[in-house]
Amino acid sequence: MTQDPYEILGVSRDASADDVKKAYRKLARQLHPDVNPDPDTQERFKDVSRAYEVLSDPQKRAAYDRGGDAFSQGFGGAGQGFSFTDIMDAFFGGGAAAGGASRGPRSRARRGQDALVRLDVALADAAFGVTRDLKVDTALTCEACHGEGTAPGTSPIACETCHGQGEVAVVQRSFLGEIRTLRPCAACRGYGSIIPDPCRECSGDGRVRSRRTLTVKIPAGVDHGTRVQLAGQGEVGPGGGPAGDLYVEIHVEPHPTFTRHGNDLHTTVSLPMTAAALGTQLTLPLLEADLASSAETPDGEKPVTTYDLEVRPGTQSGSEQVKRGFGVPSLRGGRGDLVVSIKVDTPTRLDPRQEELLRELAAIRGEESPDGQNEAPTRGMFGRLRDAFQG
Ligand SMILES: [Zn+2]
Ligand SMILES: [Zn+2]
């Protein structure tokens, strides 16, 4: 992939600021994730937005033209919207950097902030994926001024204080002699221009807060705390700047009968004492069962909604069975297991006939007055494994 912002936007080296903006708007309309949600397009949208971030800022563009690496100027990188100059400003208090070298006016266009929203999803939806509509309160480009911040029919005028330079020289006397530093112009806040007639819709910010609905595809296998990144869906930047990213943090709601440990699912199956003693074959619902009834199913293929459990004669309460591949799909491929714990139910209400039969059984087995025994606590194989790992 090219890293040349000119190539990414498809404009020539001598393109005017207006041409750059037009090219960006045209591409943004085609590639916007609302129009084209596939990941490749979102990735391109992000690249285009970053290219615009560089070329729309006269200073970043000049730095790139001088042979600088666009990426080191806040293009790409951590994608946090920090540019080298922002960092210099933070450390040296604006304009003091590089011995007072002129940096020129700064652009009003800045990349918007990333946003984080929380999404509650059912365990089955997190495990097997789901498409959800999400309402997001965010900053969108102001329709009235197209992000310019100017009232219709007006445009910014050059700042008289700094003559459009965006910065003013300050001379200070010190023991080293006179020090001349450049500071951002207070009159225009470093923009070099002033908006005499701000847009009424956005008060000159170029964006307005609005609620919109996004359709989010949650991939199968996400877990509690997973963040799904939606490129270019965060806040639109001020001054028509590109949008930040939106992160959707997944919160998984507890399920009444299944719990998740990594990619494994755990559940407990209770069965009568007699079945545990004599053995039986059970068919039980899987986690997907509730999902399969509502979700679209692949053509003609019946989804698997149950699993079979072979209860051998003499099955103990607390014993475990592992059903391979019946767990949660992994984000990296493959699938976890289903771990089934058996709980043997002791009958509580016995009618006279049942009590008679049980007493007879006890007599035959010589258990009328049994001895109890102290034993190590039973926690099942997985409980013991966990203990071993946790030391
Ligand atoms: Zn506006
Ligand atoms: Zn000024």
Side-chain angles (χ1 to χ4, degrees), residues 126-144:
F128 303 105
V130 68
T131 301
R132 288 272 293 270
D133 282 342
L134 186 61
K135 283 190 167 50
V136 193
D137 282 307
T138 188
L140 298 176
T141 304
C142 174
E143 296 284 332

Side-chain angles (χ1 to χ4, degrees), residues 2 16 38 68 92 103 108 113-114 116 130 148 158 176 189 203-204 206-207 223 254 257 309 316 336 344:
T2 176
S16 69
D38 76 273
F92 300 105
R103 296 185 297 122
R108 285 177 201 280
Q113 295 203 330
D114 292 339
L116 178 68
V130 68
E148 309 278 332
L176 292 171
R189 290 192 290 153
S203 311
R207 52 192 187 155
D223 204 349
T257 54
L309 193 70
Q316 300 295 319
V344 175

Side-chain angles (χ1 to χ4, degrees), residues 361-373:
L361 178 65
I364 294 168
R365 291 178 57 85
E367 294 169 350
E368 292 148 299
S369 47
D371 296 328
Q373 263 182 34

Side-chain angles (χ1 to χ4, degrees), residues 175-365:
F175 63 93
L176 292 171
E178 273 191 357
I179 298 176
R180 187 177 168 275
T181 49
L182 289 168
R183 300 211 173 272
C185 170
C188 61
R189 290 192 290 153
Y191 297 127
S193 63
I194 282 167
I195 294 176
D197 197 0
C199 167
R200 280 168 199 202
E201 296 299 320
C202 62
S203 311
D205 189 39
R207 52 192 187 155
V208 287
R209 288 214 77 83
S210 177
R211 167 169 282 212
R212 63 182 177 139
T213 304
L214 275 176
T215 304
V216 183
K217 201 170 176 296
I218 306 299
V222 296
D223 204 349
H224 195 78
T226 303
R227 286 181 178 184
V228 178
Q229 183 185 19
L230 300 173
Q233 298 284 16
E235 286 196 351
V236 159
D245 298 337
L246 177 70
Y247 290 88
V248 179
E249 189 174 273
I250 304 297
H251 281 237
V252 180
E253 293 160 346
H255 190 276
T257 54
F258 289 94
T259 52
R260 180 171 168 177
H261 299 278
N263 291 322
D264 292 340
L265 287 172
H266 288 227
T267 191
T268 298
V269 168
S270 63
L271 73 167
M273 183 184 77
T274 46
L278 299 171
T280 188
Q281 182 87 32
L282 298 172
T283 300
L284 292 149
L286 282 168
L287 175 62
E288 302 99 300
D290 47 341
L291 188 72
S293 55
S294 60
E296 295 166 40
T297 57
D299 314 318
E301 211 179 301
K302 248 189 149 180
V304 181
T305 60
T306 58
Y307 67 98
D308 293 326
L309 193 70
E310 166 93 41
V311 179
R312 279 182 294 278
T315 291
Q316 300 295 319
S317 197
S319 62
E320 285 175 337
Q321 282 196 38
V322 177
K323 304 296 287 182
R324 298 259 170 247
F326 281 92
V328 174
S330 165
L331 283 170
R332 279 169 261 117
R335 205 167 154 174
D337 301 329
L338 173 64
V339 180
V340 184
S341 299
I342 305 289
K343 179 173 156 277
V344 175
D345 280 344
T346 306
T348 49
R349 279 160 202 264
L350 298 172
D351 67 19
R353 166 76 177 137
Q354 290 167 356
E355 188 181 339
E356 187 190 327
L357 279 172
L358 277 178
R359 288 202 185 283
E360 199 180 324
L361 178 65
I364 294 168
R365 291 178 57 85

Side-chain angles (χ1 to χ4, degrees), residues 90-124:
F91 278 107
F92 300 105
S102 177
R103 296 185 297 122
R106 64 187 178 113
S107 168
R108 285 177 201 280
R110 300 212 146 192
R111 182 177 184 268
Q113 295 203 330
D114 292 339
L116 178 68
V117 291
R118 188 182 132 161
L119 182 64
D120 293 315
V121 295
L123 179 60

